[in-house]
């Protein structure tokens, strides 16, 4: 059950990272103490304990969370993760990052996150369905197409979203596709949503590499993870001529200095359940993967994997954060001093929520766009957000993370001041 990607401090350290990052941006912006207190605190937190009947007939009680961090700029938006180490603090951190992420790419949303403490690898499909439907019911006071719109995250996907959409719709007596995004196409999902986060990461890598004069053709890319974000980032970067020298999962990594073919790795994982042992690769650990000599490192698994301890040994020129919160504030400082360019999560992985927004807009219009329309609109959003963050970083002489946070926090602060404090 213990995953190699998680350490025991992960949970608390995510919230510590999120708050430290926020304070740094607030300091730099000279944010007034009252406003700072408003933006720091999660607006709503729901904890639910609920029973699920397991396949053998016994009952288990699971704990789930839904946290809405901030709603100043629109309805709450953010994924739901299933993981044994989910905690309220972790969900709080992830919800805060969603607020900033939506603001960086100018989506009219606030931030939220949800999670259920469970090990999905030990649950059958039927058990996962019952757990999901009951969790959706438990958090139904919060979620809705105008209030809070969940999406996939770690260990959840289109099928999970289909069950939530169906459960919510059954309660109302008619179909409400816009209550979740990341749905299958057959029930109001969007073209391009499954690969959207990976595609957004690819645009950010391209923009960063261009500014550092690193050709993507032949560039060595090490990717931690092989879930939704990592796999699509690997496939798309490979298609652009980059060399994917390593990928990993919770059991370890596969390293091939001459490059892996992500499609072959996906097939191998499908057959064996892991990327470890993929053809023509050597087994490495997740820790070793982060220290490989490469042009681009993409942490695309869980939080707090690049720390004060290993940051001095990171040998990438660009770190493109596919995961949320993979780098601790201490590691950030070390990487910055060592001249490693970090493209921060709230910019780098915003492609997912951007296409979620497109899906929500399409559902509300009941009018659907082509894949080409999705891709070109996504590219426009990502490239212009990247340019905004780059400009901010040059103007203020700060790294890209602080620049992105300053942009985001100032947009949410402005919305809050414009609305005024009720009553
Ligand atoms: N879970 C993804 C994220 O962390 C997507 C959220 C969404 O689409 O709402 O950005």
């Amino acid at each position: 059950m213990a995953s190699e990607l998680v350490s025991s401090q992960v949970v608390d350290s995510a919230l510590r990272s999120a708050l430290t990052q926020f304070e740094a941006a607030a300091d730099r912006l000279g944010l007034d103490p009252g406003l700072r207190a408003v933006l720091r605190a999660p607006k709503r937190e729901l904890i639910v304990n609920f029973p699920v009947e397991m396949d053998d007939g016994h009952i288990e009680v699971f704990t789930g969370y839904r946290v809405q961090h901030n709603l100043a700029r629109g309805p709450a938006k953010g994924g739901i993760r299933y993981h044994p180490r989910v905690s309220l603090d972790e969900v709080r951190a992830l919800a805060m990052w969603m607020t900033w992420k939506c603001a960086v790419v100018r989506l009219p949303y606030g931030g939220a996150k949800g999670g259920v403490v469970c090990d999905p690898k030990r649950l059958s499909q039927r058990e996962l369905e019952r757990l999901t439907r009951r969790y959706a019911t438990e958090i139904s006071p919060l979620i809705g197409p105008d209030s809070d719109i969940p999406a996939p995250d770690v260990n959840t996907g289109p099928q999970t979203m289909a069950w939530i959409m169906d459960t919510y719709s059954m309660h109302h007596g008619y179909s409400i596709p816009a209550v979740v995004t990341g749905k299958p196409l057959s029930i109001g999902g969007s073209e391009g949503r499954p690969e959207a986060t990976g595609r957004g990461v690819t645009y950010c890598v391209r923009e960063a590499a261009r500014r550092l004069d690193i050709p993507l053709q032949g560039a060595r890319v090490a990717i931690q993870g092989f879930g939704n974000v990592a796999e699509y980032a690997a496939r798309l970067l490979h298609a652009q001529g980059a060399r994917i020298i390593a990928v990993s999962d919770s059991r370890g990594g596969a390293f091939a200095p001459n490059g892996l073919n992500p499609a072959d790795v996906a097939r191998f994982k499908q057959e064996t359940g892991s990327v470890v042992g993929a053809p023509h690769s050597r087994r490495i650990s997740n820790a070793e993967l982060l220290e490989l000599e490469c042009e681009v490192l993409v942490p695309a698994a869980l939080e707090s994997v690049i720390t004060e301890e290993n940051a001095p040994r990171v040998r990438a020129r660009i770190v493109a954060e596919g995961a949320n919160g993979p780098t601790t504030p201490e590691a950030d400082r070390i990487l910055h001093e060592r001249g490693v360019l970090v493209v921060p999560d709230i910019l780098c992985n915003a492609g997912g929520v951007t296409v979620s927004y497109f899906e929500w807009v399409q559902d509300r219009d009941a009018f659907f766009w082509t894949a080409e329309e999705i891709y070109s609109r996504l590219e426009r959003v990502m490239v212009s957000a990247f340019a905004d963050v780059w400009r901010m970083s040059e103007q203020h002489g700060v790294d890209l993370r602080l620049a992105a946070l300053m942009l985001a926090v100032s947009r949410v602060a402005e919305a809050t001041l414009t609305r005024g404090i009720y009553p």
Side-chain angles (χ1 to χ4, degrees), residues 47-356:
I47 304 177
V48 293
N49 299 300
F50 56 92
V52 176
E53 185 179 338
M54 310 308 278
D55 289 344
D56 67 3
H58 86 280
I59 307 282
E60 274 186 34
V61 174
F62 290 85
T63 300
Y65 308 97
R66 184 74 184 169
V67 173
Q68 297 178 344
H69 170 255
N70 188 287
L71 308 180
R73 301 179 61 263
K77 188 86 190 78
I80 290 170
R81 65 171 56 180
Y82 290 172
H83 196 279
R85 304 280 185 113
V86 162
S87 73
L88 181 57
D89 273 355
E90 184 198 35
V91 176
R92 285 172 169 149
L94 292 160
M96 180 185 256
W97 283 324
M98 285 309 303
T99 302
W100 311 142
K101 192 186 301 186
C102 292
V104 167
V105 284
R106 296 179 180 277
L107 307 181
Y109 286 140
K113 204 78 170 199
V116 177
V117 186
C118 66
D119 186 353
K121 292 188 188 109
R122 294 174 164 212
L123 299 173
S124 70
Q125 275 294 101
R126 292 290 304 159
E127 287 168 342
L128 272 174
E129 177 171 353
R130 286 194 292 271
L131 177 145
T132 300
R133 288 184 179 280
R134 181 65 190 247
Y135 170 68
T137 303
E138 296 291 339
I139 63 166
S140 63
L142 290 189
I143 65 172
D146 293 312
S147 57
D148 182 351
I149 306 117
D153 197 77
V154 173
N155 292 328
T156 58
Q159 182 59 66
T160 327
M161 297 306 117
W163 291 326
I164 298 177
M165 179 274 201
D166 184 68
T167 302
Y168 189 83
S169 298
M170 286 300 125
H171 293 169
H172 289 78
Y174 53 94
S175 294
I176 308 177
V179 65
V180 284
T181 58
K183 298 178 296 294
L185 274 180
S186 57
I187 54 168
S190 176
E191 292 288 351
R193 179 62 186 86
E195 72 267 36
T197 313
R199 190 172 280 273
V201 169
T202 307
Y203 294 139
C204 284
V205 168
R206 186 190 73 192
E207 293 303 301
R210 190 181 286 163
R211 283 166 174 86
L212 298 189
D213 263 330
I214 300 172
L216 260 193
Q217 187 67 38
R220 292 164 300 176
V221 179
I223 304 183
Q224 188 186 52
F226 205 63
N228 170 272
V229 180
E231 183 184 336
Y232 282 109
R235 285 176 183 267
L236 293 163
L237 286 165
H238 175 76
Q240 293 194 20
R243 208 173 351 139
I244 310 303
I245 61 167
V247 297
S248 70
D249 56 35
S250 59
R251 297 191 203 160
F255 171 53
N258 292 326
L260 295 156
N261 180 339
D264 292 344
V265 178
R267 215 169 300 121
F268 182 81
K269 188 186 164 186
Q270 187 83 37
E271 286 159 13
T272 66
S274 176
V275 302
V276 176
H280 314 295
S281 76
R282 182 160 76 69
R283 183 188 191 131
I284 54 169
S285 68
N286 268 291
E288 286 167 326
L289 184 147
L290 297 172
E291 297 173 18
L292 289 175
E293 189 180 330
C294 58
E295 277 67 49
V296 183
L297 172 64
V298 184
L302 292 168
E303 305 90 86
S304 309
V305 293
I306 304 177
T307 63
E308 188 169 24
E309 199 275 316
N310 61 2
R313 297 190 301 277
V314 167
R315 286 185 288 166
R317 296 193 53 203
I318 297 170
V319 173
E321 296 186 334
N324 292 310
T327 311
T328 66
E330 297 75 27
D332 246 338
R333 189 181 39 78
I334 296 168
L335 294 177
H336 185 59
E337 280 166 11
R338 294 185 53 234
V340 179
L341 184 70
V342 178
V343 186
D345 46 9
I346 58 172
L347 168 65
C348 194
N349 69 37
V353 72
T354 300
V355 177
S356 274

